[in-house]
């Protein structure tokens, strides 16, 4: 079976004091063991070593981005090698905010995923359609195209979690219905079956992101092809614990 996965994407939020508070809440939380649910929190780069040092050992940390290739003369960037050197096991790549605000293309995201994996990082690779694309009826084609750009560069999917995050659901309070999430996740699994292989289709975790909260997590988690969540706003609040507990 696919182990349930809950990621908390803190985005560009937090002060040292706020970070301490949320980590304390997580450290005191009663949740199932690592054998049941994999929990990863993703603070901004500057807080990564601090959070890693404070966080309970059964939870792990993730960066929110990294440079596409080996480090060097790339002012303002952080390389995959640096994350590995600091013992950061995970990185989120291709988040829609980076695709939209920083013009990250499907091809760049595919290159980033492949390079991060080659350095030994585990990757939460994000995909998802805009409202305009959903209304045009091209959701399946859009997420297939995004996945294809990753599949073109990646041969071993063991360390990849695919995060389906419809752009219209991110930070809007408009969560996908369980049926909408299930439909896209099933389409993605079929795409992986037909274009990668049956093994990968069966084993890759496909998690949902977009306005997940303590109230809607349980019903979404009950869907066959929803293997967990990538949580934004609610990952900074005590209800993140309820979302983790939706695993069981
Ligand atoms: P929200 O949970 O705030 O909608 O954000 C989702 C997200 O973008 C996680 O990566």
């Amino acid at each position: 079976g696919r182990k349930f996965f809950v990621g908390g994407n803190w985005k560009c939020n937090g002060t040292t004091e706020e970070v301490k508070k949320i980590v304390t809440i997580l450290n005191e939380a009663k949740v199932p063991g690592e054998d049941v649910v994999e929990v990863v929190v993703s603070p901004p780069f500057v807080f990564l070593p601090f959070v890693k040092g404070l966080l309970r050992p059964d939870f792990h940390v993730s960066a929110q981005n990294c440079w596409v290739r080996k480090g060097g003369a790339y002012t303002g960037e952080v390389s995959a090698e640096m994350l590995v050197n600091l013992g950061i096991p995970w990185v989120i790549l291709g988040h829609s905010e980076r695709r939209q605000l920083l013009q990250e293309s499907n091809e760049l995201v595919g290159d980033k995923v492949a390079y991060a994996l080659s350095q030994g990082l585990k990757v939460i690779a994000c995909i998802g359609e805009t409202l305009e694309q959903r209304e045009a009826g091209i959701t399946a084609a859009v997420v297939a195209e995004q996945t294809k750009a990753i599949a073109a560069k990646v041969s071993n999917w063991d360390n990849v979690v695919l995060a389906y995050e419809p752009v219209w659901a991110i930070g809007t309070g408009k969560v996908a219905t369980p049926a909408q999430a299930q439909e896209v996740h099933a389409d993605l699994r079929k795409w992986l079956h037909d274009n990668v292989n049956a093994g990968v289709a069966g084993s890759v975790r496909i998690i949902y992101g977009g306005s997940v909260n303590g109230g809607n997590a349980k019903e979404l988690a009950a869907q066959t092809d929803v293997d967990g969540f990538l949580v934004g706003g609610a990952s900074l609040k005590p209800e993140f614990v309820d979302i983790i507990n939706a695993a069981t």
Side-chain angles (χ1 to χ4, degrees):
R2 300 181 295 264
K3 194 196 293 181
F4 207 78
F5 183 102
V6 179
N9 176 7
W10 295 1
K11 307 193 179 182
C12 188
N13 289 294
T15 60
T16 308
E17 293 315 309
E18 287 164 350
V19 164
K20 262 188 222 163
K21 254 185 223 162
I22 184 71
V23 172
T24 302
I25 290 167
L26 297 180
N27 286 353
E28 290 170 357
K30 232 183 102 56
V31 299
E34 259 193 292
D35 51 327
V36 173
V37 57
E38 193 165 359
V39 180
V40 171
V41 297
S42 188
F45 283 128
V46 289
F47 297 127
L48 269 173
F50 179 59
V51 172
K52 183 179 155 61
L54 285 181
L55 194 65
R56 56 195 288 171
D58 55 335
F59 287 9
H60 302 283
V61 289
S62 175
Q64 297 175 12
N65 175 43
C66 65
W67 178 235
V68 60
R69 281 177 282 277
K70 188 174 157 60
Y74 307 107
T75 304
E77 291 295 325
V78 170
S79 70
E81 301 85 63
M82 290 170 194
L83 298 176
V84 170
N85 179 249
L86 285 167
I88 310 300
W90 287 91
V91 62
I92 297 171
L93 293 171
H95 192 280
S96 68
E97 286 149 17
R98 298 198 62 85
R99 290 177 184 266
Q100 296 207 308
L101 303 170
L102 293 147
Q103 283 80 49
E104 291 199 4
S105 65
N106 286 350
E107 196 192 359
L108 179 77
V109 173
D111 285 334
K112 282 190 172 195
V113 172
Y115 188 75
L117 291 172
S118 79
Q119 297 309 297
L121 289 169
K122 296 188 261 196
V123 175
I124 302 163
C126 304
I127 58 173
E129 85 288 1
T130 63
L131 182 60
E132 194 185 12
Q133 290 166 332
R134 173 161 285 262
E135 286 174 345
I138 57 171
T139 296
V142 168
V143 297
E145 199 63 26
Q146 292 167 332
T147 308
K148 185 179 168 190
I150 296 166
K153 309 268 167 64
V154 169
S155 46
N156 186 338
W157 287 72
D158 290 353
N159 289 332
V160 180
V161 169
L162 206 51
Y164 168 58
E165 300 204 299
V167 177
W168 49 270
I170 294 178
T172 59
K174 290 191 169 95
V175 64
T177 64
Q180 283 174 324
Q182 170 57 27
E183 183 183 21
V184 177
H185 287 220
D187 285 347
L188 284 167
R189 223 178 278 290
K190 183 174 182 334
W191 189 91
L192 291 170
H193 180 277
D194 296 347
N195 296 277
V196 182
N197 63 57
V200 167
S203 63
V204 166
R205 277 142 339 146
I206 306 176
I207 64 176
Y208 168 80
S211 297
V212 175
N213 61 38
N216 59 32
K218 200 88 201 172
E219 206 190 338
L220 285 159
Q223 302 302 306
T224 314
D225 291 296
V226 175
D227 303 317
F229 301 114
L230 189 56
V231 184
S235 73
L236 295 160
K237 300 180 190 163
E239 73 186 280
F240 188 59
V241 176
D242 302 324
I243 299 171
I244 297 168
N245 282 314
T248 56

